[in-house]
Amino acid sequence: AVQGTLNVLKACARSPSVRRVIYTSSGSAVTYMGKDVPRNQIFNETCWTSIDFCRHEKPPGWPYIVSKTLAEQTAAKFAKENDIDMVSIVPTLVVGSFLTPVVPSSVATSLALLTGEEKYFQFLGRMSYIHIDDVARAHIFLYEHSEAEGRYICSQSDASIEEVANMLSQWYPQYKVSEGFGDAESHSLHCLSSERLKMLGFEFQYTLEDMFEDSIQNCKQEGLPFQINN
């Protein structure tokens, strides 16, 4: 991830037509700060994942977490040293419709309570969500607003696995929603704040219900099996 990022930025540095680079990071580059993060932590753009913590504690998905963090840090350093106007967007779990021939991992993760894929439960204890269309709109927004600079978290909703299970049960009574989450049950109240992005004038258009509705409809078209209530 680091070398691929540098390859793109080096090409940008050589091109006289590149006005601004919008770098797509990840919420995982923000939230893994260490063991002593308060349960009600509000994460903002000043927060960075601790590489040492991830390599030592090895939380679920830690290689991805480390690679995204290192890539964004490397990109920011290279951009500064080479006078590249770079803005980072930091989306959380991206949900909604998709164009790929297979279900994206972020959508598969978000719908695990409907598909029964327990391997994803560990990521859903306390999760922040964003619709893919809002992510795309935020990219364009940050490119077009000259005053944008630095990092911008892009996240619309925060919810625990229990809250999502309750919501899905109400919204989709025809489906069986998994129960009993074990270690995935969350006692955290943390959230990722998009206040900086909103203060610049950006407005989210999609709710958490919109995100799941679009994902579910797309997955039904692709034949992804959901658990059915008898």
Side-chain angles (χ1 to χ4, degrees):
V2 172
Q3 190 57 52
T5 298
L6 283 176
N7 289 343
V8 172
L9 287 176
K10 287 176 182 178
C12 292
R14 294 192 298 267
S15 173
S17 63
V18 174
R19 294 168 49 198
R20 166 171 284 181
V21 174
I22 305 299
Y23 177 79
T24 308
S25 185
S26 166
S28 63
V30 170
T31 55
Y32 292 84
M33 296 170 58
K35 286 185 176 181
D36 299 323
V37 177
R39 65 187 296 267
N40 60 346
Q41 172 75 39
I42 298 176
F43 294 101
N44 60 30
E45 288 79 5
T46 67
C47 300
W48 282 95
T49 282
S50 167
I51 302 298
D52 291 340
F53 168 77
C54 290
R55 285 176 170 163
H56 184 264
E57 297 297 327
K58 295 179 171 52
W62 72 271
Y64 172 83
I65 298 166
V66 168
S67 68
K68 292 299 290 187
T69 305
L70 288 176
E72 186 187 356
Q73 292 174 340
T74 301
K77 182 174 183 291
F78 182 90
K80 182 177 181 180
E81 292 173 348
N82 290 273
D83 198 26
I84 296 174
D85 180 8
M86 190 192 87
V87 177
S88 291
I89 184 170
V90 187
T92 49
L93 190 68
V94 179
V95 191
S97 55
F98 52 90
L99 300 174
T100 54
V102 296
V103 179
S105 59
S106 60
V107 174
T109 300
S110 68
L111 297 182
L113 295 177
L114 295 178
T115 61
E117 294 190 78
E118 295 184 4
K119 64 182 180 181
Y120 293 121
F121 289 4
Q122 60 186 326
F123 301 108
L124 295 174
R126 177 74 176 178
M127 181 55 70
S128 302
Y129 299 86
I130 182 67
H131 194 288
I132 180 62
D133 289 356
D134 273 338
V135 175
R137 291 176 56 250
H139 276 78
I140 298 170
F141 178 88
L142 291 173
Y143 177 78
E144 293 180 341
H145 281 69
S146 59
E147 64 270 37
E149 52 84 24
R151 306 173 92 193
Y152 291 88
I153 291 173
C154 185
S155 182
Q156 195 277 335
S157 297
D158 300 272
S160 69
I161 192 170
E162 298 90 348
E163 290 170 330
V164 171
N166 290 334
M167 289 185 292
L168 291 175
S169 296
Q170 295 174 19
W171 295 340
Y172 304 100
Q174 69 272 36
Y175 297 133
K176 179 182 178 182
V177 178
S178 296
E179 300 175 347
F181 313 120
D183 292 340
E185 290 189 8
S186 175
H187 301 288
S188 172
L189 298 174
H190 77 246
C191 68
L192 279 85
S193 172
S194 294
E195 191 62 27
R196 188 165 188 260
L197 180 60
K198 290 189 288 187
M199 287 182 65
L200 199 61
F202 185 79
E203 296 181 358
F204 295 103
Q205 292 187 352
Y206 298 88
T207 65
L208 188 60
E209 184 173 2
D210 295 328
M211 298 178 211
F212 277 94
E213 175 64 16
D214 288 351
S215 293
I216 288 170
Q217 293 305 319
N218 209 152
C219 287
K220 286 170 64 177
Q221 295 173 9
E222 298 298 324
L224 184 70
F226 296 128
Q227 303 173 107
I228 304 296
N229 267 329
N230 296 322

